[in-house]
């Protein structure tokens, strides 16, 4: 059986953009493939500590996992949930791969260039985390790793490390699929980018200060509806999907489609020729508040105990699989016979 592997960050409260653009597509992908793939969903908590120590890391980890369950993730015997820090093989393999990766190739990582290049005070974790990421992937022979475009370079690095390793030591690692094939597998034609409700040139972000610019997953449904009603539109007086000319209106149509699970083309057709922005806003406001109500009700039903029980099973599985791979690698390096 092939393996899909995805990391979900231990996060603070998420926005509707995070939900529609990242959480929901991932849950749908996992549900679609959980009968013919192993689906590994892990919280990369060792990656979280790179930026800073977060006093709420444990709490945020559990909350993130609850979000996935509330978003409809079906857990069966092929779906495994685990925390990176509870599977020591990740750190072990990272060290060994550090002895395979070169300074040159890590220096080329754009994420590092943006965040740390040239700063001597930057921690080594920022430089090295692509290698930890390679370990996260290679330990499980993962084929598909659904990720954003900003991470493609790290997939390529993982492929290069695996191929270099295999050339020297034999076929120990599965080389993950090329990024182009990853994208095909994800069935993403266009990346979903929900816009900021007030400043429609920007994407909706949880770190944006203005409360009315973003819908948070824990917003009171009524409050969320009000935010939609006050969203920026334009003065053209026609409802047409065109992200460049009418980003505000297009954003509302896009949200309506995703929240009601209707093809965008159908939503566009329904509103074609309409001119009353207020009517569109009312409809989207109602759809969003209904979605939030359902999501929040489900979320309140997911207990800590449920999450910890899933982690117990998942971490047992992950340690078994990862240790097996690590032993092979240790043998190759003459660390064991
Ligand atoms: P921050 O402001 O802290 O960067 P963010 O809202 O941009 O927060 P991230 O943590 O950077 O969120 O991203 C989490 C995931 O959500 C990523 O997969 C990212 O692609 C996705 N995402 C973030 N914002 C949007 C958005 N507006 N529309 C669709 N997807 C989004
Ligand atoms: Mg961001």
């Amino acid at each position: 059986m092939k393996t899909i592997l995805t990391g979900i960050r231990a996060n603070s409260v998420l926005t509707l953009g995070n939900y529609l653009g990242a959480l929901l597509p991932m849950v749908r992908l996992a549900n679609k493939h959980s009968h013919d793939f192993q689906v590994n969903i892990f919280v990369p908590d060792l990656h979280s500590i790179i930026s800073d120590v977060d006093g709420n890391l444990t709490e945020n980890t559990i909350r993130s996992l609850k979000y996935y369950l509330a978003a409809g993730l079906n857990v069966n015997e092929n779906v495994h949930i685990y925390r990176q820090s509870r599977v020591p093989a990740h750190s072990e393999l990272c060290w060994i791969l550090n002895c395979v990766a070169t300074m040159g190739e890590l220096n080329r990582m754009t994420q590092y260039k943006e965040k740390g290049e040239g700063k001597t005070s930057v921690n080594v974790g920022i430089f090295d985390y692509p290698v930890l990421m390679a370990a996260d992937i290679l330990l499980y022979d993962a084929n598909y790793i659904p990720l954003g475009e900003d991470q493609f370079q790290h997939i390529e690095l993982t492929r290069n490390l695996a191929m270099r390793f295999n050339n020297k030591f034999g076929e120990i690692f599965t080389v993950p699929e090329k990024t182009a094939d990853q994208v095909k597998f994800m069935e993403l034609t266009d990346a979903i980018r929900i816009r900021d409700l007030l400043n429609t040139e920007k994407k909706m972000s949880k770190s944006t200060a203005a409360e009315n610019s973003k819908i948070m997953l824990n917003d009171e449904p009524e409050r969320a509806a009000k935010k939609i009603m006050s969203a920026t539109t334009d003065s053209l007086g026609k409802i047409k999907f065109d992200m460049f000319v009418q980003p505000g209106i297009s954003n509302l149509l896009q949200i309506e489609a995703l929240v009601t699970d209707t093809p965008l083309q159908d939503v566009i057709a329904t509103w074609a020729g309409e001119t009353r922005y207020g009517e569109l806003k009312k409809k989207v406001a109602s759809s969003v508040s209904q979605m939030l109500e359902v999501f929040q009700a489900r979320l309140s039903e997911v207990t800590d105990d449920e999450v910890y029980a899933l982690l117990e099973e998942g971490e047992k599985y992950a340690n078994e699989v990862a240790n097996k791979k690590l032993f092979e690698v240790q043998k190759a390096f003459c660390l064991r016979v």
Side-chain angles (χ1 to χ4, degrees):
M1 225 186 235
K2 290 194 170 185
T3 298
I4 302 174
L5 178 135
T6 181
I8 58 171
R9 253 191 279 182
N11 249 319
S12 51
V13 179
L14 300 181
T15 67
L16 185 69
N18 303 139
Y19 179 80
L20 298 176
L23 198 85
L24 206 54
M26 189 53 233
V27 166
R28 293 203 171 131
L29 193 74
N31 288 350
K32 181 174 169 197
H33 290 293
S34 63
H35 296 286
D36 48 349
F37 279 82
Q38 295 288 346
V39 179
N40 290 9
I41 299 179
F42 77 107
V43 181
D45 50 357
L46 294 173
H47 289 283
S48 296
I49 63 173
I50 289 172
S51 33
D52 207 352
V53 179
D54 170 4
N56 300 319
L57 185 54
T58 303
E59 195 186 318
N60 288 343
T61 297
I62 300 302
R63 191 201 291 114
S64 284
L65 292 171
K66 284 184 177 175
Y67 277 159
Y68 276 75
L69 296 171
L73 179 72
N74 290 324
V75 182
N76 66 14
E77 68 282 2
N78 294 338
V79 179
H80 312 283
I81 294 173
Y82 54 93
R83 291 164 288 189
Q84 187 184 35
S85 63
R86 304 306 160 101
V87 188
H90 289 243
S91 311
E92 289 274 342
L93 182 60
C94 176
W95 177 256
I96 294 175
L97 290 178
N98 276 335
C99 305
V100 177
T102 66
M103 292 292 287
E105 61 193 344
L106 292 189
N107 264 323
R108 284 196 295 274
M109 296 293 119
T110 28
Q111 293 267 310
Y112 170 67
K113 285 190 179 175
E114 281 165 13
K115 288 186 188 148
E117 195 178 36
K119 296 183 203 148
T120 46
S121 62
V122 88
N123 74 52
V124 176
I126 289 193
F127 182 66
D128 197 37
Y129 95 92
V131 179
L132 178 58
M133 202 168 141
D136 298 338
I137 295 167
L138 297 177
L139 277 174
Y140 302 91
D141 289 323
N143 310 87
Y144 294 103
I145 307 100
L147 280 171
E149 202 187 344
D150 57 333
Q151 298 295 321
F152 285 180
Q153 209 185 10
H154 299 155
I155 301 290
E156 289 305 328
L157 173 74
T158 303
R159 285 171 47 81
N160 290 336
L161 293 179
M163 288 188 277
R164 194 177 312 150
F165 192 98
N166 287 351
N167 278 338
K168 207 162 166 189
F169 299 107
E171 296 295 307
I172 290 180
F173 292 130
T174 297
V175 180
E177 301 294 329
K178 292 196 180 107
T179 44
D181 295 323
Q182 302 266 354
V183 173
K184 257 187 234 156
F185 180 76
M186 285 186 263
E187 296 171 18
L188 286 182
T189 40
D190 281 314
I192 295 161
R193 276 268 162 272
I194 302 301
R195 304 289 180 116
D196 183 298
L197 294 178
L198 298 181
N199 180 356
T200 52
E201 299 301 317
K202 284 180 29 188
K203 76 165 194 68
M204 188 183 286
S205 288
K206 57 178 138 39
S207 56
T208 305
E211 281 303 319
N212 284 342
S213 70
K214 56 188 181 181
I215 288 177
M216 305 305 296
L217 289 182
N218 64 348
D219 274 350
E220 289 267 338
E222 261 175 53
R223 174 126 197 268
K226 284 200 183 116
K227 290 181 184 178
I228 297 282
M229 293 308 293
S230 66
T232 303
T233 51
D234 54 61
S235 52
L236 295 176
K238 59 174 183 190
I239 299 180
K240 193 165 172 247
F241 188 85
D242 185 332
M243 274 294 179
F244 294 102
V245 181
Q246 296 186 268
I249 289 294
S250 305
N251 194 37
L252 292 176
L253 292 168
Q254 168 89 83
I255 291 174
E256 172 70 7
L258 291 168
V259 162
T260 59
D261 198 12
T262 311
L264 179 60
Q265 289 312 322
D266 293 1
V267 175
I268 293 172
T270 304
W271 290 91
E274 295 282 341
T275 54
R276 287 163 304 170
Y277 289 0
E279 292 302 308
L280 174 65
K281 282 183 168 180
K282 259 193 233 160
K283 175 67 176 75
V284 180
S286 142
S287 302
V288 167
S289 58
Q290 264 176 41
M291 183 228 102
L292 285 179
E293 229 165 80
V294 173
F295 178 81
Q296 290 168 3
R298 283 207 208 134
L299 188 65
S300 69
E301 284 164 12
V302 185
T303 63
D304 284 17
D305 286 352
E306 200 176 318
V307 174
Y308 280 112
L310 290 172
L311 285 172
E312 197 177 324
E313 182 284 322
E315 285 162 7
K316 187 166 168 280
Y317 166 89
N319 274 296
E320 276 169 21
V321 175
N323 284 337
K324 217 168 135 204
K325 184 63 72 181
L326 180 65
F327 283 13
E328 282 182 63
V329 174
Q330 289 174 329
K331 273 196 209 157
F333 272 74
C334 302
L335 293 163
R336 78 169 59 232
V337 286

